[in-house]
Structure formats: C-alpha cells, structure tokens
Amino acid sequence: AQSVSQHNHHVILSEAASLELGCNYSYGGTVNLFWYVQYPGQHLQLLLKYFSGDPLVKGIKGFEAEFIKSKFSFNLRKPSVQWSDTAEYFCAVNSYGQNFVFGPGTRLSVLP
Amino acid sequence: DTAVSQTPKYLVTQMGNDKSIKCEQNLGHDTMYWYKQDSKKFLKIMFSYNNKELIINETVPNRFSPKSPDKAHLNLHINSLELGDSAVYFCASSPGTSGHLEEFFGPGTRLTVL
C-alpha cells in the first residue's frame, strides 16, 4: 500500500524567507503527485500537480515542486514566503486505479 | 458557480442522534468521495463512489452510510453519533477512478458532537 510522509509537522518562517517542505512516498510504480493547501477555516485547494514530463512543476502563487524519482520525493518550494501563505500543506499521491493517499500535512506559520 | 458544494457547513448535535450531510458537484464528474479530517488535520478517505456504485469503503463503522441518488450527489448519513465522530468532513469529486486525475474538494462540514 502507498504511504506518504511529510518531514515537518510545523514550520515557522519570517516573511521573505525561502520555503522547502519535504514529501516522500512509498509506492514504486508510476505515480501522480499533488500539493494541496488548506488556508485556515477553508477547504483544500490544488497548488500544483505532476503527472509526467518536466520534473520541475510550477504552480499557483509562486510555488513550485520538484519530482525526484530516485528519491521518491516531491518537495514543495517557494523562494520568498508571505504572511498570506500561512496554511496547512498536504502532499498527496495517486496511481492508476488507486485512491488518493494524503500525507499528514505540514503547518506553515509565516510571521509578519 | 460552486463546483463541489456541501450542506450544512456547520453541524452541532447530541450523541446518539442521526444526521446527514449532503454533497453535490456540478462538474459532471463520475467519481465522488467522502473524507474525514480529524483534529490533527489528518485526512483519511472514507468512501469512494463511481457512477452511483460504491467502489471503496475503508475501515469505517457501519453507522456511516453513503447514499448516491445520482451521479452528481453523494450524501453521508451517520447513525447514533459518537463524540469521536467530531471532525470536518470533506466531499470531493474527480472525473474518473484512474490516475492522472485531480480531486476537487468541497468546503467541508464541521461536525461537533456534544
């Protein structure tokens, strides 16, 4: 069965700092990878996704993620965070015929 | 237009009651899901329906019963509510059951059982 881990439970940054959130998955076959964001009190929104092609994926709001197949990783990055990026971030994986598996989430707090 | 909608947004009820949460999607998707997000923000799939048929039922107590009257609706009925059922329940939909497809989430229903 697939599993998804996220390295950091809670990350605290100052505005303008760079961000990298780790995500690793356990499935060895072909996977599709996603990052979702959940702002306080809101539903999940898709930030970016990787299906195939260029392993460096650009998403909304200046986020990007890099798929490294050899490391089973799909880390999320942003060069300069803003206070409005404060949210919970979820990495998710699915593959053919399988349901989504979400990671446990990483809470990002950005201090103004 | 809201793509995936849920009602109610908040639900406060007593232990032992029976309640329902409704979900509708206007995206024409074939597959709908129910997720439970606990107090630690952990998301876990509960049910998956494809074209009105149940295709996955994770280890969920049988007090929880999904009902899909048509492809655009997937309601969640909960009998004999317990304190541990307090959580946020998210409905989602996707175009199909295979990979290469993202899921679109509803706004969530915060259930509080007293």
Side-chain angles (χ1 to χ4, degrees):
Chain A
Q2 296 176 21
S3 68
V4 180
S5 60
Q6 292 181 235
H7 310 153
N8 313 98
H9 178 63
H10 189 189
V11 173
I12 303 174
L13 295 172
S14 298
E15 275 195 315
S18 65
L19 170 72
E20 180 158 2
L21 300 182
C23 172
N24 285 89
Y25 62 94
S26 66
Y27 184 65
T30 302
V31 293
N32 309 300
L33 298 150
F34 307 81
W35 275 97
Y36 281 84
V37 60
Q38 185 177 27
Y39 296 104
Q42 295 190 26
H43 62 285
L44 284 87
Q45 301 171 43
L46 183 69
L47 268 182
L48 47 79
K49 59 192 176 189
Y50 171 80
F51 292 159
S52 63
D54 187 345
L56 185 61
V57 179
K58 295 202 182 295
I60 61 171
K61 306 188 181 188
F63 286 91
E64 65 178 33
E66 185 175 12
F67 170 50
I68 303 179
K69 190 174 180 180
S70 60
K71 294 185 178 179
F72 297 90
S73 71
F74 190 56
N75 293 353
L76 181 71
R77 300 195 290 248
K78 186 171 183 178
S80 175
V81 294
Q82 300 171 316
W83 177 78
S84 57
D85 293 324
T86 295
E88 194 89 19
Y89 291 81
F90 293 91
C91 181
V93 173
N94 77 354
S95 56
Y96 184 81
Q98 302 292 322
N99 286 298
F100 266 54
V101 176
F102 281 86
T106 296
R107 181 152 50 112
L108 172 65
S109 299
V110 180
L111 306 177
Chain B
D1 284 344
T2 304
V4 182
S5 59
Q6 294 178 228
T7 53
K9 191 170 182 182
Y10 299 96
L11 182 55
V12 181
T13 188
Q14 301 279 348
M15 270 176 52
N17 284 350
D18 303 337
K19 290 293 178 187
S20 292
I21 308 172
K22 296 185 177 181
C23 177
E24 177 181 2
Q25 54 96 0
N26 61 7
L27 298 166
H29 287 169
D30 290 329
T31 307
M32 296 183 72
Y33 311 83
W34 277 108
Y35 286 85
K36 179 180 180 181
Q37 185 176 43
D38 62 24
S39 58
K40 295 181 180 176
K41 300 290 188 181
F42 188 71
L43 268 163
K44 184 174 176 175
I45 191 166
M46 300 173 70
F47 300 102
S48 173
Y49 261 74
N50 179 253
N51 279 320
K52 295 170 52 180
E53 289 187 24
L54 180 66
I55 56 173
I56 188 164
N57 177 357
E58 294 292 326
T59 51
V60 174
N62 57 15
R63 298 181 295 104
F64 289 81
S65 53
K67 296 275 192 305
S68 183
D70 55 56
K71 208 171 78 163
H73 296 84
L74 182 62
N75 303 326
L76 184 64
H77 189 74
I78 316 170
N79 289 327
S80 303
L81 278 155
E82 300 178 358
L83 293 176
D85 298 333
S86 295
V88 181
Y89 292 84
F90 287 98
C91 178
S93 72
S94 71
T97 57
S98 303
H100 301 275
L101 299 166
E102 66 193 75
E103 294 184 8
F104 295 79
F105 284 81
T109 296
R110 181 174 292 278
L111 171 64
T112 303
V113 182
L114 304 175

